[in-house]
Amino acid sequence: MSDTVTPAQAEEKPLNFLEEIIEASIAKGETRVHTRFPPEPNGYLHIGHAKSICLNFGLAKKYNGKCNLRFDDTNPVKEETEYVDSIMDDIRWLGFRWDGLFYASDYFDTLYLWAEELVKKGKAYVDDQTQEQIRQGRGTVTSPGANSPFRDRSVDENLNLLRRMKAGEFADGEKVLRAKIDMTHPNMLLRDPIMYRILHAEHHRTGDKWCIYPMYDYAHGESDSIEKITHSICTLEFDIHRPLYDWFINELEIFPSHQYEFARLNLTYTVMSKRRLLQLVQQGLVEGWDDPRMPTICGLRRRGYTPESVRAFAERVGVAKRDNIIDLGLLEYCVREDLNRTAQRRMAVLDPIKVTITNWPEGNKEAIRCVNNPEDPEAGTREVAMTRQVYIDRDDFMEDPPKKYFRLSPGGEVRLRYSYIIKCDEVVKDASGKVVELRCSYDPASGGGGSSDGRKVKGIIHWVSAENAATAQVRLYDRLFTQEDMGSLDEGKDYLDYLNPDSLRTVTAYIEPALAEAEPGQRFQFERLGYFFVDPKESSEGKPVFNRTVTLKDSWAKIAAK
RNA sequence: UGACCCAUGGUGUAAUGGUAACACAGCAGAUUUUGGUUCUGUCGUUCCAGGUUCGAGUCCUGGUGGGUCAACCA
């Protein structure tokens, strides 16, 4: 991260509730800040994780603290090294570097020792009940649970059984280790939660060393404590886990990490749950986890989002404890804001109509100078060729234009961007009535912004020379779903019922010749159309494939829609 | 018929007992060789009822509404 926040700037910005908590503890003399980002390596990170990453790493940076990356790998049947790698890759791409890299599985030995300790204190016991019996015994949210018949086993018996569980003497599901708390507690999590289950499964890091694995609630707080995490930040749905988090730390008398919860990110027109994203991939509804329509970090990346824009977004959405749904428009605003400053402009025609300039001498070619980025003089200029035949976009011509349409129409005039004013003299159609060519004349005195008689034209349209244009595949992406709040669907409808059939349109576009040499990973603004990213996965030497990151704001579209 | 969390413009986020503000979105205008950018203006907000207080978005009580919890997932 290059942007350093000066103390003065930091002072002007209001604090979020986590910063307030931290500053309150600093005021009391506890100055150390150590956070952690703790993903389970069972899938790809999405924009919601990006918020959490920016929060955890951002807080550490702001208060001169540290932030660890810790993989919460306590469930071997769901976790894979592939995900570990992609998660590290995404965090680095976002621009963050972890201070410590750990795995919950690093702590399996310690965790087990602590489990024996709790058994010895009479705070944990081995339960022989089946999964079904345990479920029954737990009661419901409105009725208390009942004690297990195995709850009062002696310490010696529990210890013996636990060691035999660890030694592999029992089959999966035959026994569990439970904390002995209170089967009537109003908080379901405290009704003798399971600490260990038997799982004869290969772990991606510890292999077959273990056949018992700790549950999240038993492992998480202790892992924080081992790493001396001061602020363990997680999402709201874990708030009812906090008493249990504290219970284990208190009983074990280990370093008191504390948990704080914030509201997770929701986006309009977007699903975020791992289950649904996985289903989109598995059913082939998208092309993979990094499909540019996916809200995954790797998807945004392939869409052409910049790390800066994602960080700016995370900053702007804020942090609080109430449920929220952020307008997708804010994310788009953030990337436009960034790309407007940095992306060079080029011209491309997505849906061409051929224009013949009848008074332009056959074979004549004129070099036209174009500004690369009006926001950045250092970006310089380039030349494109003006010729007798050019392509313009179909959207820029209407045979029967409505009021306020100031693009090209029969008898009307428009300026070709950076070039001459042309007038439409004749419309050529094919047998089906489709416009196939416009025959126009140009004003030779209109180069450089003027005109023969000082008249101004309102419309300026982009174009490419038909005689030396290159072509490229361009993918026009749109939102994946049609429903604004995908969290509240109509009665009896599934989220897949709201898939946007037009979320991807692929076209072959005419592009400036120079654009054919575009390098994978480069970003451009196609003038008047949007920002485009050269897909690193699909492009090859001299054959770029462009992904539309986002359209430009289009105030004409609003007028036209009305 | 439980426990816990939450409630401020359309969407977010501030205001820390003392003039309800900022951003995005919307609308209107100016500038503009991108209907882009930029600039200006504008619309619009404290869930309800009581209470405490000189004064309540903020504190208290009670409602209402939303969320979370009954995996050997995290």
Side-chain angles (χ1 to χ4, degrees):
Chain A
M1 299 149 291
S2 51
D3 47 343
T4 322
V5 179
T6 68
Q9 288 172 322
E11 223 172 314
E12 279 175 39
K13 244 186 67 189
L15 304 178
N16 64 48
F17 79 100
L18 292 168
E19 292 167 331
E20 282 177 2
I21 288 167
I22 290 173
E23 299 208 353
S25 63
I26 288 173
K28 287 190 303 188
E30 298 157 22
T31 58
R32 198 173 62 87
V33 173
H34 201 156
T35 57
R36 102 270 91 115
F37 175 65
E40 181 184 19
N42 71 341
Y44 285 79
L45 262 28
H46 55 60
I47 181 82
H49 294 109
K51 174 181 177 180
S52 175
I53 291 167
C54 291
L55 229 197
N56 278 293
F57 283 91
L59 248 19
K61 183 186 160 92
K62 177 168 181 177
Y63 294 102
N64 296 311
K66 292 183 185 329
C67 181
N68 291 351
L69 170 59
R70 181 172 70 238
F71 288 99
D72 221 334
D73 56 350
T74 56
N75 185 358
V77 303
K78 290 170 71 177
E79 295 146 7
E80 292 171 31
T81 304
E82 174 200 348
Y83 297 124
V84 170
D85 296 337
S86 77
I87 288 168
M88 294 198 289
D89 202 34
D90 287 344
I91 295 171
R92 283 194 216 97
W93 177 79
L94 268 176
F96 297 104
R97 301 291 178 268
W98 44 88
D99 292 287
L101 173 61
F102 301 104
Y103 296 77
S105 54
D106 294 339
Y107 311 134
F108 281 174
D109 287 304
T110 305
L111 258 13
Y112 175 76
L113 252 30
W114 283 344
E116 284 206 354
E117 198 179 314
L118 289 175
V119 168
K120 288 172 191 163
K121 282 179 71 177
K123 297 289 187 179
Y125 64 97
V126 172
D127 196 339
D128 295 2
Q129 291 184 107
T130 64
Q131 190 164 342
E132 177 61 18
Q133 288 168 327
I134 289 175
R135 195 177 66 75
Q136 297 276 340
R138 193 154 28 222
T140 71
V141 290
T142 52
S143 63
N147 286 353
S148 163
F150 303 96
R151 196 172 197 262
D152 294 316
R153 293 217 252 227
S154 71
V155 167
D156 285 346
E157 188 183 3
N158 279 322
L159 208 48
N160 176 261
L161 255 15
L162 175 59
R163 287 172 180 167
R164 290 170 62 196
M165 279 169 64
K166 180 186 178 232
E169 290 189 30
F170 306 111
D172 289 2
E174 211 173 310
K175 287 180 167 45
V176 291
L177 182 71
R178 289 232 254 174
K180 192 188 285 189
I181 304 180
D182 180 0
M183 289 306 292
T184 67
H185 198 102
N187 181 343
M188 299 286 294
L189 269 316
L190 263 30
R191 319 243 264 229
D192 289 10
I194 291 169
M195 294 167 58
Y196 272 95
R197 76 282 215 186
I198 300 170
L199 240 35
H200 291 270
E202 174 96 1
H203 187 278
H204 72 108
R205 293 188 74 242
T206 61
D208 60 2
K209 178 180 175 189
W210 294 89
C211 62
I212 58 171
Y213 290 91
M215 299 286 288
Y216 166 86
D217 282 306
Y218 180 61
H220 201 90
E222 285 84 332
S223 299
D224 285 341
S225 180
I226 291 168
E227 294 173 25
K228 301 268 196 294
I229 298 302
T230 56
H231 301 267
S232 179
I233 298 163
C234 62
T235 46
L236 239 36
E237 64 270 26
F238 289 98
D239 66 343
I240 56 166
H241 293 246
R242 183 163 12 94
L244 186 51
Y245 181 103
D246 293 337
W247 189 90
F248 283 121
I249 283 177
N250 285 334
E251 290 298 334
L252 260 8
E253 300 179 72
I254 54 180
F255 177 82
S257 295
H258 292 289
Q259 175 184 302
Y260 304 92
E261 309 87 19
F262 71 96
R264 68 177 336 129
L265 174 76
N266 295 293
L267 264 185
T268 56
Y269 303 103
T270 307
V271 300
M272 211 78 92
S273 85
K274 228 170 237 183
R275 196 199 104 241
R276 287 170 166 180
L277 296 179
L278 179 66
Q279 196 177 11
L280 289 171
V281 172
Q282 286 180 337
Q283 294 193 8
L285 299 167
V286 295
E287 284 155 34
W289 286 100
D290 64 350
D291 186 296
R293 291 166 292 183
M294 292 282 273
T296 49
I297 294 178
C298 54
L300 291 168
R301 182 175 175 175
R302 246 187 103 195
R303 178 79 169 250
Y305 274 80
T306 59
E308 291 80 4
S309 65
V310 176
R311 278 190 258 128
F313 174 71
E315 188 63 42
R316 278 170 182 271
V317 298
V319 187
K321 295 195 73 153
R322 79 183 92 140
D323 294 323
N324 60 76
I325 181 160
I326 307 290
D327 191 334
L328 190 57
L330 184 63
L331 182 61
E332 297 182 336
Y333 169 84
C334 289
V335 74
R336 285 191 192 110
E337 182 189 42
D338 186 17
L339 263 19
N340 176 50
R341 284 194 334 257
T342 56
Q344 292 210 0
R345 315 282 114 134
R346 294 290 185 270
M347 290 198 284
V349 173
L350 302 183
D351 185 9
I353 299 181
K354 183 187 284 184
V355 172
T356 301
I357 299 159
T358 51
N359 58 338
W360 185 281
E362 202 90 47
N364 188 30
K365 194 178 267 193
E366 184 180 329
I368 304 284
R369 189 150 293 279
C370 307
V371 172
N372 281 331
N373 185 351
E375 308 295 317
D376 176 15
E378 306 222 324
T381 61
R382 69 186 187 285
E383 285 180 351
V384 298
M386 177 66 197
T387 54
R388 182 178 157 88
Q389 290 201 315
V390 300
Y391 293 113
I392 67 167
D393 250 309
R394 197 161 288 276
D395 282 348
D396 290 332
F397 174 78
M398 276 186 98
E399 201 167 9
D400 188 16
K403 287 190 295 286
K404 291 196 197 162
Y405 183 85
F406 42 81
R407 277 111 100 144
L408 197 58
S409 57
E413 281 192 320
V414 81
R415 178 181 292 280
L416 296 178
R417 173 117 237 231
Y418 300 118
S419 183
Y420 297 92
I421 293 173
I422 60 170
K423 179 179 178 189
C424 177
D425 303 312
E426 189 184 344
V427 180
V428 183
K429 298 179 187 177
D430 66 10
S432 69
K434 186 184 178 189
V435 176
V436 292
E437 185 187 346
L438 267 17
R439 296 181 68 78
C440 301
S441 50
Y442 86 111
D443 176 354
S446 66
S451 58
S452 52
D453 55 3
R455 71 191 186 286
K456 290 273 183 188
V457 293
K458 192 93 167 133
I460 297 154
I461 64 174
H462 58 277
W463 57 280
V464 295
S465 161
E467 284 158 48
N468 71 349
T471 59
Q473 192 185 108
V474 177
R475 293 135 150 206
L476 306 173
Y477 292 106
D478 199 355
R479 53 178 69 127
L480 238 195
F481 295 97
T482 55
Q483 174 90 346
E484 181 164 328
D485 183 358
M486 289 299 290
S488 63
L489 307 179
D490 292 336
E491 196 69 25
K493 291 260 195 176
D494 181 68
Y495 79 101
L496 291 178
D497 296 331
Y498 295 91
L499 266 179
N500 176 8
D502 302 316
S503 63
L504 168 59
R505 222 177 84 228
T506 302
V507 301
T508 300
Y510 286 108
I511 57 176
E512 289 183 33
L515 224 34
E517 309 310 319
E519 302 279 336
Q522 281 188 318
R523 299 178 175 88
F524 296 98
Q525 183 195 103
F526 290 177
E527 293 222 29
R528 303 208 306 132
L529 296 174
Y531 295 98
F532 292 79
F533 180 64
V534 184
D535 192 331
K537 209 166 165 175
E538 304 285 334
S539 300
S540 55
E541 185 71 35
K543 288 199 64 165
V545 171
F546 293 95
N547 295 336
R548 184 173 68 193
T549 308
V550 66
T551 61
L552 253 32
K553 262 173 63 179
D554 187 352
S555 45
W556 164 246
K558 282 183 219 154
I559 298 166
K562 162 215 76 74

